[in-house]
Amino acid sequence: MDKRSLEKLELNKILSAVSEYCSLDSGKALILGCQPSKDLKEVRQRLNFTKECDKLLYNYGINKVENFGNVDNELVRANKGSVLTCAELLDIAALLRSSRNIYISITKIDDEELVLMRSLVKDIYFDENLERDIVDKIISVDALSDYASDKLFSIRTRIKNLNSRIREKLSEYSSGKDSEFLQDGVVTMRNDRYVIPVKAEHKNHVKGFVHDRSKTGATFFIEPEYILELNNELIALYIDEREEVEAILKSLSKRVGDMCEQLTINTQKLAYIDSLFACAEYGYVHKCSMPKVNDRGYINIIKGRHPLIVREKVVPVSLELGSSYNYLLLSGANTGGKTVTLKMTGLFCLMAACGLFICAAEGSSVAVFDGIFCNIGDSQSIEESLSTFSSHITNIIDICNRAAKNCLILIDELGGGTNPDEGQALAKAVVKHLIDCGSKGIVTTHFTSLKEFAYTVGGIENASMEFDSDTLKPLYRIKIGLPGASCALAIARRLGMSSDILEQADLYLSDGARSFENVVRRAEESRIEAESKLAEISQIEREWKVKLDKVNAQINELNREKEKINRSARTESRRIIADRTEKAEKMLAEIEQLFKKEELTEADLIAARTLKNKLEQSAFDEDGDKKKVVDYCEATQSNIKVGITVFIKPMESKGTVTAFNEKKSEAEVVCGSLKMHLKLSDLLIVGNESSAPKKIKVVKQMPKSLPVLEINILGLTVPEAIIEVDNFIDKAVMDNLEEIKVIHGVGTGKLRTAIAEHLKRHRRVESFRLGKYGEGETGVTFIKLR
């Protein structure tokens, strides 16, 4: 990648911001030294690493890499047999603890999507025993615990006891008859030996060894003879202690040296993991999303925000490049956001190539380029005696020489800084050359002829930064397909320039420039107005859609309530019918029992009449109104008449007599659209529906009209069986039955399968099942009706 372009696009500032989220200095160094990759596979892997780390941090809540010092030098020394200090060993323990925590945190998560991170940590080495030994034995950066070893505990216990004995001896001296020789009663130490402060004039009165003298010469520090041996013993114990401490540190250092290679690999892996977590945290904090990447040069940024602009102030920008056109010619008013858009596009491609998410909406795409070249801003060089234009052209020459198919070119104000006519001509030639190279890019301009040029050349598309002509403020939105007016005079007027100067400037404008700017401005105003109307219509459409959804929801709710009420009514009807049928059958049985007697007594007749009255009363509803009971009688030649209503026994339906043949005892009956010739024996004459039946035998026929709960279709062909089942279902629905049974037998299973396929499509069937054990199993099918 071109280093100058990387600086212009400010990738270094982004990497510096990302590095602030690292826990380790080594992790920061990896981020700051990161270079954008040119390999699509590697870029996708980097982004997937960041995605997995984002999931680990914010879905599973694991901790980042625990901080530890730079231990590379300590590991090398330990490997060579050097003894590490307490502080250095504590740093090693921190490395071991960090390694253990990262390994356990990631490997314990059962998520198949964490492929890369699992692979990264699977070889991380840790030794919990060594980590615990270091922490338990070393209590500070310069001290070991008394319990680091049994020997050390014994030595320190003896030192403690000996110190107490020496102090007791010296305190006896200071409180005895020789106390007058002492400067004060304080026991002190010189050269690791206990001494007492003796006045200079009495130094010959105290037998012992002089170790020191005060600066004034008034006090001598003397070690009395009687504690000489005790001091010698104490010194010996201190030597033993130091040797034991050295032995413990040496043992721990050797264990560290034995795993030097694994721990060195750990430091590298943990630094890399730390940098990955920093990338994920940066993306989370800045509301970034993972972009799609490709090597086709296709860029589609949706609501992109430049990450170096405060999120509350930046206006999201969307643009597309590399599909039907390879170049965008971006024009429009000054301060409209052209340069920021230019830099944002290049920066997003670089961020993705470094494994960073971009500040754009989900679904955004960026490309992986072999090179990204840009010419942005004033590059005047005093040291090289280059003017702004000269430096500008030097960069353009370099870009033209290096431009290739898989390159991204970003040029701000191409051809500016010189004579407008020559600048426009040069700009056209440069753009044509870049298009012919097959590169992709964005060029910003204010040149009118270059905007016109974009309409005549393939591979480039005009685009404009929208500008509010009423408020004279930029809207920071890109419109593809239309050039933008520069609005220089309008902006100057908004900023306070004199109207006289602006009027004079307007007179100096060429007719062509003035005409083109006016056309562009009017087109822009018309487009903005049309989009405003479209947005208003879309809002109305959305509101009506919401209202329509509410109405449909209410209709569905009403239908559910209706079905619930109907279902409840059917259930209640079945309960009432079953209850009254049971009572009627019981009374009929009692009447039949009475009439089985050879001789009927008066009491029997009274009982029969009583039962008959109860049967009649059972035909009343709950409100006391009499139910309609149809009175049927056998049809004979004497009572059959044209026009009367008859009940057709074979069809179980009613019809009307239209003619009667006495010779054949046949009647012509119309039932719906059917006209039939029936025997009188197949007909019942329907009497007055409001009158109760006169004969007990008619009441005895009531059980015959009870709902049928099952049908037997054994022996029928499939077409015949389906017709019978359909008729049976219709009859069951009319009788308000909830569940019926079809007996089809086991056999070859053909009939059962055909019935099942037919029931799947039947609009009256809610569900069906085969019989269970004791119900007929696969020989019967139970049907639940709607």
Side-chain angles (χ1 to χ4, degrees):
M1 290 289 180
D2 182 53
K3 291 184 178 180
R4 181 175 55 200
S5 297
L6 295 183
E7 291 177 1
K8 286 289 185 181
L9 295 174
E10 301 176 299
L11 177 64
N12 58 331
K13 293 183 180 180
I14 298 298
L15 295 178
S16 177
V18 175
S19 69
E20 295 300 318
Y21 294 97
C22 289
S23 302
L24 307 176
D25 291 338
S26 53
K28 290 184 178 181
L30 284 178
I31 292 292
L32 295 174
C34 179
Q35 290 296 316
S37 174
K38 301 177 184 179
D39 183 72
L40 178 63
K41 185 177 180 181
E42 182 182 354
V43 170
R44 284 177 174 165
Q45 186 183 59
R46 288 182 177 186
L47 289 171
N48 284 326
F49 263 122
T50 305
K51 178 183 177 182
E52 290 188 15
C53 287
D54 177 82
K55 194 171 188 179
L56 287 169
L57 289 174
Y58 302 108
N59 284 21
Y60 295 107
I62 75 166
N63 294 323
K64 297 201 301 179
V65 176
E66 186 177 340
N67 185 33
F68 57 88
N70 187 346
V71 295
D72 292 341
N73 184 47
E74 286 80 354
L75 291 175
V76 172
R77 287 172 44 228
N79 190 38
K80 293 180 178 179
S82 298
V83 177
L84 302 182
T85 65
C86 293
E88 291 169 341
L89 285 168
L90 287 176
D91 285 340
I92 297 295
L95 167 61
L96 289 168
R97 181 168 56 253
S98 183
S99 302
R100 174 174 55 84
N101 289 338
I102 281 294
Y103 177 84
I104 294 174
S105 297
I106 295 176
T107 55
K108 74 177 181 181
I109 296 173
D110 186 15
D111 190 333
E112 295 179 355
E113 294 183 0
L114 302 177
V115 178
L116 296 174
M117 292 303 293
R118 282 182 177 276
S119 176
L120 184 60
V121 304
K122 69 177 182 179
D123 295 327
I124 285 182
Y125 178 82
F126 62 92
D127 187 333
E128 197 168 356
N129 291 329
L130 176 57
E131 175 194 339
R132 185 169 54 250
D133 284 347
I134 293 174
V135 174
D136 289 346
K137 293 181 179 182
I138 302 176
I139 59 176
S140 70
V141 295
D142 57 2
L144 261 65
S145 168
D146 293 346
Y147 304 97
S149 71
D150 293 340
K151 184 177 180 181
L152 183 61
F153 180 79
S154 174
I155 292 171
R156 286 185 173 176
T157 301
R158 290 165 61 193
I159 289 173
K160 183 179 179 181
N161 294 335
L162 189 55
N163 276 318
S164 297
R165 286 174 57 197
I166 293 174
R167 286 182 175 276
E168 287 176 2
K169 287 283 186 181
L170 292 177
S171 63
E172 291 175 1
Y173 190 92
S174 61
S175 60
K177 61 181 180 178
D178 297 327
S179 61
E180 59 182 298
F181 303 140
L182 303 181
Q183 192 70 261
D184 54 49
V186 177
V187 177
T188 185
M189 297 191 76
R190 288 293 186 274
N191 302 321
D192 293 331
R193 302 178 76 89
Y194 281 98
V195 295
I196 55 177
V198 179
K199 295 176 182 179
E201 60 270 22
H202 299 298
K203 64 182 178 61
N204 295 326
H205 292 84
V206 178
K207 293 182 179 181
F209 300 92
V210 176
H211 284 273
D212 199 2
R213 184 179 67 181
S214 66
K215 291 181 179 181
T216 62
T219 304
F220 282 80
F221 296 95
I222 300 174
E223 178 185 6
E225 285 184 346
Y226 61 85
I227 65 165
L228 177 63
E229 290 302 322
L230 294 177
N231 268 336
N232 289 341
E233 184 181 350
L234 183 62
I235 293 298
L237 288 175
Y238 279 137
I239 293 172
D240 292 341
E241 178 191 23
R242 188 162 54 248
E243 290 177 349
E244 180 61 19
V245 167
E246 185 76 11
I248 293 171
L249 294 179
K250 185 176 181 179
S251 173
L252 293 174
S253 299
K254 184 179 183 308
R255 292 168 66 184
V256 172
D258 291 341
M259 60 181 71
C260 170
E261 184 177 350
Q262 296 96 320
L263 293 182
T264 301
I265 295 174
N266 277 13
T267 60
Q268 298 168 356
K269 285 195 173 186
L270 291 176
Y272 184 49
I273 293 171
D274 185 45
S275 68
L276 293 175
F277 280 148
C279 292
E281 189 173 1
Y282 175 86
Y284 179 82
V285 171
H286 289 79
K287 309 296 182 185
C288 298
S289 65
M290 179 178 173
K292 302 174 184 176
V293 289
N294 62 85
D295 56 1
R296 298 176 285 104
Y298 177 68
I299 297 173
N300 181 25
I301 297 174
I302 304 171
K303 296 182 179 179
R305 299 172 282 106
H306 197 291
L308 296 179
I309 301 177
V310 180
R311 191 164 67 243
E312 289 73 20
K313 295 182 179 180
V314 67
V315 179
V317 175
S318 300
L319 67 85
E320 187 176 7
L321 177 69
S323 54
S324 57
Y325 50 86
N326 290 337
Y327 269 84
L328 273 180
L329 184 65
L330 193 56
S331 55
N334 290 312
T335 70
K338 298 190 297 298
T339 303
V340 171
T341 301
L342 201 74
K343 297 175 74 172
M344 178 192 73
T345 303
L347 181 59
F348 279 1
C349 293
L350 292 174
M351 289 175 66
C354 291
L356 293 168
F357 290 177
I358 63 175
C359 300
E362 293 285 346
S364 297
S365 298
V366 294
V368 177
F369 293 101
D370 292 336
I372 297 178
F373 306 100
C374 67
N375 184 71
I376 300 173
D378 185 0
S379 301
Q380 184 178 25
S381 175
I382 296 175
E383 292 82 359
E384 298 178 12
S385 300
L386 293 176
S387 67
T388 299
F389 179 73
S390 298
S391 179
H392 175 72
I393 288 302
T394 301
N395 292 340
I396 296 299
I397 292 171
D398 182 58
I399 289 173
C400 289
N401 291 335
R402 300 171 67 181
K405 184 176 181 180
N406 193 32
C407 289
L408 178 66
I409 311 298
L410 305 168
I411 303 178
D412 192 23
E413 303 294 348
L414 178 59
T418 188
N419 178 279
D421 291 335
E422 293 182 349
Q424 294 183 64
L426 183 61
K428 291 178 184 178
V430 170
V431 169
K432 184 68 168 60
H433 171 76
L434 294 175
I435 293 173
D436 293 341
C437 289
S439 59
K440 312 291 191 300
I442 302 175
V443 176
T444 68
T445 187
H446 288 288
F447 290 151
T448 299
S449 63
L450 194 56
K451 300 174 189 176
E452 296 170 347
F453 176 74
Y455 282 121
T456 61
V457 178
I460 186 169
E461 185 71 46
N462 267 305
S464 59
M465 302 300 298
E466 294 187 4
F467 187 78
D468 191 332
S469 58
D470 294 331
T471 62
L472 300 179
K473 292 183 179 180
L475 299 176
Y476 304 104
R477 295 196 300 262
I478 294 179
K479 185 63 182 179
I480 307 295
L482 287 177
S486 296
C487 303
L489 300 183
I491 293 173
R493 180 176 289 107
R494 179 172 66 87
L495 296 176
M497 181 170 280
S498 169
S499 58
D500 295 337
I501 297 175
L502 293 172
E503 289 174 5
Q504 189 65 39
D506 190 56
L507 293 175
Y508 289 144
L509 278 176
S510 66
D511 293 338
R514 185 185 295 109
S515 176
F516 183 83
E517 288 291 318
N518 288 337
V519 169
V520 170
R521 186 159 44 250
R522 284 196 294 270
E524 182 71 4
E525 291 172 358
S526 299
R527 184 187 59 77
I528 292 174
E529 183 179 357
E531 289 186 349
S532 176
K533 293 293 184 183
L534 180 61
E536 185 178 344
I537 292 171
S538 299
Q539 179 63 26
I540 294 173
E541 184 181 0
R542 285 193 295 270
E543 290 176 358
W544 276 104
K545 187 177 182 302
V546 171
K547 292 179 180 179
L548 183 61
D549 290 342
K550 288 183 179 179
V551 171
N552 288 334
Q554 291 175 352
I555 291 173
N556 292 334
E557 182 63 26
L558 288 174
N559 288 336
R560 285 193 293 269
E561 288 295 325
K562 179 181 176 182
E563 179 62 26
K564 183 178 178 181
I565 292 171
N566 289 340
R567 192 181 299 112
S568 177
R570 287 197 298 269
T571 303
E572 182 64 17
S573 298
R574 285 193 290 270
R575 186 192 64 77
I576 294 173
I577 290 172
D579 184 53
R580 296 195 176 184
T581 301
E582 182 183 359
K583 290 180 180 179
E585 288 178 344
K586 185 176 181 180
M587 286 185 281
L588 285 173
E590 292 181 8
I591 292 173
E592 288 179 352
Q593 194 66 31
L594 286 173
F595 281 96
K596 284 181 181 179
K597 294 181 178 181
E598 295 181 359
E599 295 183 5
L600 293 175
T601 63
E602 187 68 23
D604 293 332
L605 293 174
I606 293 172
R609 194 176 297 112
T610 302
L611 290 172
K612 173 179 173 295
N613 293 336
K614 286 183 179 180
L615 267 175
E616 291 176 353
Q617 289 175 2
S618 68
F620 285 80
D621 59 15
E622 294 178 359
D623 297 328
D625 296 329
K626 209 171 193 180
K627 291 185 180 283
K628 292 183 179 180
V629 180
V630 181
D631 184 11
Y632 296 106
C633 62
E634 298 289 342
T636 62
Q637 292 188 0
S638 60
N639 59 12
I640 193 76
K641 296 179 182 179
V642 175
I644 65 173
T645 301
V646 294
F647 180 79
I648 306 167
K649 294 179 183 179
M651 295 182 62
E652 295 187 357
S653 60
K654 295 179 181 180
T656 304
V657 178
T658 56
F660 173 62
N661 189 333
E662 293 184 3
K663 294 181 179 179
K664 295 183 178 181
S665 295
E666 288 181 352
E668 184 182 85
V669 180
V670 175
C671 180
S673 60
L674 297 177
K675 182 180 288 187
M676 299 168 285
H677 292 275
L678 300 170
K679 295 289 185 181
L680 293 183
S681 59
D682 292 331
L683 301 176
L684 292 174
I685 296 177
V686 180
N688 185 4
E689 293 185 349
S690 63
S691 61
K694 298 178 180 179
K695 297 182 180 180
I696 294 178
K697 71 173 183 178
V698 175
V699 178
K700 288 177 67 177
Q701 291 176 356
M702 288 177 62
K704 295 181 181 179
S705 63
L706 292 176
V708 180
L709 300 177
E710 64 182 43
I711 183 174
N712 190 331
I713 58 173
L714 289 170
L716 299 182
T717 63
V718 170
E720 293 172 343
I722 289 176
I723 293 172
E724 290 297 327
V725 169
D726 281 345
N727 292 335
F728 182 50
I729 290 174
D730 292 340
K731 184 70 169 59
V733 171
M734 293 177 63
D735 290 337
N736 289 326
L737 296 181
E738 185 173 354
E739 187 176 72
I740 57 176
K741 180 170 70 174
V742 176
I743 303 172
H744 45 65
V746 179
T748 62
K750 182 178 180 182
L751 188 58
R752 178 182 72 247
T753 303
I755 293 299
E757 290 297 324
H758 182 66
L759 294 177
K760 289 179 182 178
R761 302 185 297 271
H762 203 293
R763 63 188 183 89
R764 294 291 187 181
V765 175
E766 182 174 326
S767 63
F768 62 91
R769 64 176 177 85
L770 293 175
K772 300 176 183 177
Y773 179 77
E775 294 180 335
E777 302 183 24
T778 58
V780 299
T781 296
F782 287 86
I783 304 171
K784 187 176 181 181
L785 302 175
R786 296 184 188 277

